[in-house]
Amino acid sequence: TMGDPGSLKDHKVQRGWGGASTAFLLTYLGHAFVHAGRKSFAATQSELEESWGFSNKFLGGLDTAFMVSYGFGLLLNGYLAERLDTVMHMGLAVAASSICLAAFGASASLGMPSDAYLWYFSLVTLWALLQSASIPCGVKIMSGWFNRSRGMVFGIWATNGVVGNLVGLAITSTFAAVTSEKTIQYTLTTPALLTAGIGILQIMFLREGPHSSSSSSS
């Protein structure tokens, strides 16, 4: 309850540790790295055609599967964000999404042929579903910390996609300059590692704010 000393102490600790700043930074970086992974994946498509033998039709199918799954995931995760522990929900989903991206990048090393359609479609679909938790959960957590000046704060926060795309392009450009049979793997594994790291940090350090619905009902 609001009068519970433990609850009040927890809020003081969160504020003392810069809870709002931590929430902003970790949710911002989480979605930025999710975007970096998407941009890196999109940038490798010509290489997937040349090196892995993917057809343009197959790549189009993967893109369609991603978008449909991501759209459905936004609805599903928005529903779950109101009913589950938001921090754990987001942190675990973001971290787990990195496994899908890394597995896709390592497919050739794992001996997966280019016509292992079920493998690739399953990874892309699950990757989309998991990463779609970032936006609804992130917005809910941010709303719990910022009940004033939301327009300005969320305007800045919404640049995470642009920053993530730039990070993805930087990663792609870096490995494109290094000719290697594992260029695709490195290009996808790098943003996957960044995403996994931020997901773990979210679980460890992120908390819902004093203005969140769960805090108000405690």
Side-chain angles (χ1 to χ4, degrees), residues 5-156:
S7 177
L8 293 175
K9 181 180 179 181
D10 186 52
H11 282 171
K12 290 179 180 178
V13 170
Q14 289 174 3
R15 292 193 183 100
W17 282 85
S21 299
T22 301
F24 185 97
L25 181 64
L26 292 180
T27 55
Y28 187 97
L29 290 178
H31 202 60
F33 291 153
V34 161
H35 268 275
R38 286 188 222 166
K39 194 66 176 179
S40 297
F41 180 78
T44 60
Q45 293 203 356
S46 60
E47 188 69 22
L48 287 170
E49 285 189 78
E50 295 176 12
S51 301
W52 288 16
F54 283 11
S55 68
N56 190 57
K57 182 178 179 180
F58 179 45
L59 288 170
L62 290 178
D63 286 341
T64 300
F66 177 90
M67 295 306 298
V68 171
S69 300
Y70 187 78
F72 174 75
L74 287 174
L75 298 175
L76 176 63
N77 284 298
Y79 174 83
L80 294 176
E82 297 298 330
R83 290 157 178 81
L84 301 177
D85 182 318
T86 311
V87 171
M88 289 298 293
H89 177 195
M90 179 170 65
L92 288 174
V94 167
S97 73
S98 69
I99 298 174
C100 299
L101 183 59
F104 193 107
S107 294
S109 298
L110 295 173
M112 301 302 297
S114 60
D115 60 352
Y117 302 127
L118 181 60
W119 166 260
Y120 295 113
F121 270 108
S122 297
L123 285 178
V124 167
T125 298
L126 186 57
W127 179 43
L129 287 172
L130 288 169
Q131 68 171 257
S132 64
S134 181
I135 280 291
C137 291
V139 169
K140 182 170 184 263
I141 290 171
M142 284 287 291
S143 297
W145 284 106
F146 299 94
N147 68 326
R148 295 181 181 178
S149 302
R150 286 186 179 179
M152 179 183 296
V153 171
F154 276 87
I156 298 172

Side-chain angles (χ1 to χ4, degrees), residues 163-199:
V163 171
N165 287 338
L166 292 174
V167 172
L169 285 174
I171 292 171
T172 304
S173 300
T174 299
F175 290 113
V178 181
T179 303
S180 169
E181 60 181 13
K182 292 191 175 182
T183 297
I184 295 174
Q185 182 173 346
Y186 297 151
T187 302
L188 298 184
T189 300
T190 300
L193 289 174
L194 292 172
T195 305
I198 204 65

